Amino acid sequence: MMRQHTLDPATISEIVEMALSDKVSFDEIRAQHGLAPDQVQALMRRNLKPGSYRAWRRRVRQFSDRRERYK
């Protein structure tokens, strides 16, 4: 259940920026915007170019393998 239709472009932009940041966790995005990790991934898939989305997912996976708590 994605609430994207209720999100304005500025909010979408903020969520994308937060998700791209290595310093912001999915928990922080959920606290601020109420989106679960799978909803953030769906939003990112819709708002990034396919190659950028794949690179972001790869980076999130690599960081999560190296750190106990990430994204």
Side-chain angles (χ1 to χ4, degrees):
M1 292 259 197
M2 185 61 184
R3 299 181 324 160
Q4 174 147 2
H5 62 277
T6 63
L7 298 175
D8 61 272
T11 303
I12 291 171
S13 178
E14 180 182 343
I15 294 168
V16 167
E17 191 173 324
M18 290 173 76
L20 287 172
S21 167
D22 292 339
K23 295 179 177 23
V24 179
S25 70
F26 282 128
D27 289 340
E28 291 174 73
I29 295 172
R30 183 192 305 261
Q32 272 194 339
H33 297 285
L35 298 179
D38 59 331
Q39 293 173 309
V40 174
Q41 288 177 22
L43 183 142
M44 295 295 278
R45 186 184 301 268
R46 280 193 295 279
N47 289 281
L48 295 179
K49 295 177 190 173
S52 298
Y53 174 78
R54 284 191 301 271
W56 173 73
R57 288 298 302 145
R58 189 168 33 249
R59 199 171 82 242
V60 168
R61 269 194 305 277
Q62 287 172 346
F63 270 97
S64 65
D65 289 346
R66 282 185 271 172
R67 296 185 192 168
E68 190 174 312
R69 288 287 298 143
Y70 181 75
K71 293 269 185 217

